[in-house]
Amino acid sequence: MSKQYKIAVLPGDGTGPEVIAEAVKVLDAAGRKFGFTTEKKYYNWGGEHYLATGETLPADAKEQLSAHDAVLLGAIGHPDVKPGILEKGILLKLRFDLDQYINLRPVKLYPGVETPLANKKPEDIDYVVVRENSGGVYTGMGGNVMIDTPEEIACQNWVYSRYQVDRCLKFAFELAKKRHSAENPWRGLSEADRKAGYTSQLTLVGKTNVLTYVCGLWERAFNAMAKEYPMVKTAYCHVDATTMWMVKNPEWFDVIVTENLMGDIITDLAAMTSGGMGVSAGANLNPTGVSMFEPIGGSAPKYTGLGVINPLAAIGAAAMMLDFLGEKEAARAIEKSIATVTGTKLKSMAAGKMGYSTSEVGDLVVAAL
Ligand code: IPM
Ligand code: MN
């Protein structure tokens, strides 16, 4: 009997439903080809549902989603809802409640995709950012006093436990160790490094020169864990310098690991260097629970309903989901199909400039598959 996966689908707001329709199309085609099926349950949570009912998520959202093998999410965000409500009430709440403590964001320049970085090719831009996804300033500790007076004080605490840091680092070291393969040899390593027996590289990004308490914890934990991974060459980079190297020498990076807010910021930059939001996918992972896969771009209200948005990021998210579920071959085949479509068909990755409609791009990926 073929394998069946239970998928919770949250198309969400704006262009979310349009890109998710294409991701589902590709998922179904991959299932037919590789011999698995998906049982999908759709949820209408998002801005429209909030405006109609005043509810961001039902009280039992966690229980409902936990009955699935994975969650596929379109986009959350609505122009008529005050910023913060849907982000905190849906996206962040799901990440926290499902304990998705890793945000995995591959930075990969597909063939045929334009990068704003001069003279950089697909082989130069191919790394992964492991963003800690549940702690730091996102924890939500803090407050305001003397609100709306000239003396108002605001405080947003940046907190990390050793436990949170260690589990994130563990994931990153394991990923770095596994990333080395014939297809992906020795990224960022010199001849001397290779001779010394290193197969991969892991860079910790922080700000140890100023934020000494929290970044000191990350650095000590990182150096301690490095001893268990002699094949992984470790490096450290301040976050400000990282943004510089990501633009100037992206080929230096293999796997980056960093805390939540720094990871949030550098991955938008990383996405722009590799073709933008139209092609960038991400995964919110709970390695022992239910994970959630999403295109990292937003709901793009101005393109909603026009059939012009690029669905490749959502299709890439579906591929990441299959990889995580263990359908490695199908995941790789979808990635290859995306590369075929970017390399031979699309004129641009930007909404409205692809030379094809949203659903035609989905069809092209299916045809390539
Ligand atoms: C992201 C987004 C979210 C974040 C927002 C929408 C809450 O920017 O997924 O990167 O800050 O994590
Ligand atoms: Mn972000």
Side-chain angles (χ1 to χ4, degrees):
M1 216 185 82
S2 76
K3 275 204 135 173
Q4 194 189 56
Y5 302 99
K6 287 197 167 91
I7 311 295
V9 185
L10 280 61
D13 301 315
T15 51
E18 295 167 56
V19 295
I20 286 300
E22 301 317 306
V24 166
K25 190 192 272 177
V26 173
L27 201 56
D28 289 344
R32 286 191 294 275
K33 181 163 167 135
F34 293 96
F36 63 86
T37 55
T38 53
E39 184 190 314
K40 300 171 222 44
K41 181 154 182 182
Y42 283 79
Y43 294 87
N44 67 348
W45 304 331
E48 292 297 337
H49 178 72
Y50 172 74
L51 289 171
T53 64
E55 172 188 83
T56 44
L57 287 176
D60 65 345
K62 176 183 169 180
E63 284 66 37
Q64 293 200 49
L65 296 183
S66 297
H68 296 82
D69 296 306
V71 181
L72 186 61
L73 174 79
I76 298 292
H78 196 290
D80 302 337
V81 181
K82 204 175 122 205
I85 294 179
L86 301 173
E87 292 86 342
K88 282 192 184 178
I90 301 182
L91 186 61
L92 296 182
K93 185 154 171 46
L94 290 178
R95 288 179 184 170
F96 290 148
D97 285 358
L98 296 169
D99 201 18
Q100 293 161 344
Y101 61 88
I102 298 293
N103 195 322
L104 190 64
R105 296 187 161 174
V107 185
K108 192 175 166 65
L109 181 67
Y110 281 107
V113 176
E114 213 182 313
T115 169
L117 307 186
N119 307 319
K120 297 295 177 191
K121 300 185 183 56
E123 57 269 29
D124 299 319
I125 306 177
D126 185 2
Y127 57 97
V128 187
V129 179
V130 177
R131 164 187 173 192
E132 201 287 327
N133 206 32
S134 65
V137 286
Y138 281 71
T139 305
M141 287 170 71
N144 299 68
V145 292
M146 295 176 278
I147 292 179
D148 282 340
T149 72
E151 297 85 30
E152 176 166 354
I153 297 172
C155 170
Q156 194 103 38
N157 294 341
W158 192 29
V159 289
Y160 266 109
S161 67
R162 178 74 186 237
Y163 167 75
Q164 286 177 309
V165 171
D166 273 341
R167 67 181 184 171
C168 177
L169 290 174
K170 184 94 205 157
F171 182 91
F173 272 105
E174 287 293 326
L175 179 71
K177 182 178 157 185
K178 278 195 296 241
R179 232 172 94 83
H180 170 73
S181 69
E183 273 172 55
N184 180 53
W186 307 294
R187 289 201 56 80
L189 294 179
S190 68
E191 195 65 41
D193 291 335
R194 297 172 202 185
K195 287 214 177 96
Y198 291 116
T199 60
S200 5
Q201 191 194 193
L202 178 64
T203 305
L204 174 69
V205 166
K207 187 77 186 171
T208 52
N209 52 347
V210 180
L211 305 171
T212 47
Y213 306 131
V214 169
C215 291
L217 168 60
W218 275 86
E219 191 173 44
R220 280 181 281 111
F222 182 71
N223 290 337
M225 201 174 286
K227 298 195 179 86
E228 296 166 39
Y229 296 89
M231 73 302 285
V232 177
K233 180 165 189 207
T234 55
Y236 170 81
C237 218
H238 293 319
V239 65
D240 46 352
T242 303
T243 61
M244 184 168 81
W245 302 130
M246 281 167 62
V247 170
K248 192 169 177 293
N249 296 102
E251 65 280 4
W252 286 358
F253 295 115
D254 184 2
V255 180
I256 289 177
V257 62
T258 191
E259 71 87 35
N260 205 344
L261 180 61
M262 292 183 190
D264 177 44
I265 296 168
I266 66 170
T267 52
D268 267 23
L269 171 61
M272 286 319 292
T273 64
S274 57
M277 295 300 175
V279 282
S280 299
N284 302 280
L285 301 179
N286 175 342
T288 56
V290 180
S291 299
M292 181 164 75
F293 301 82
E294 54 173 339
I296 82 170
S299 56
K302 76 172 181 187
Y303 296 118
T304 301
L306 304 178
V308 297
I309 196 80
N310 189 339
L312 290 178
I315 294 170
M320 289 182 84
M321 180 174 83
L322 289 176
D323 183 72
F324 197 71
L325 290 171
E327 296 291 338
K328 306 269 175 206
E329 215 189 327
R332 261 198 302 276
I334 295 176
E335 268 186 36
K336 280 208 180 107
S337 305
I338 293 174
T340 304
V341 171
T342 60
T344 63
K345 302 283 182 189
L346 297 203
K347 288 203 202 101
S348 159
M349 297 304 122
K353 297 184 183 150
M354 301 184 291
Y356 297 90
S357 70
T358 303
S359 74
E360 283 169 344
V361 174
D363 293 340
L364 288 172
V365 176
V366 170
L369 199 67

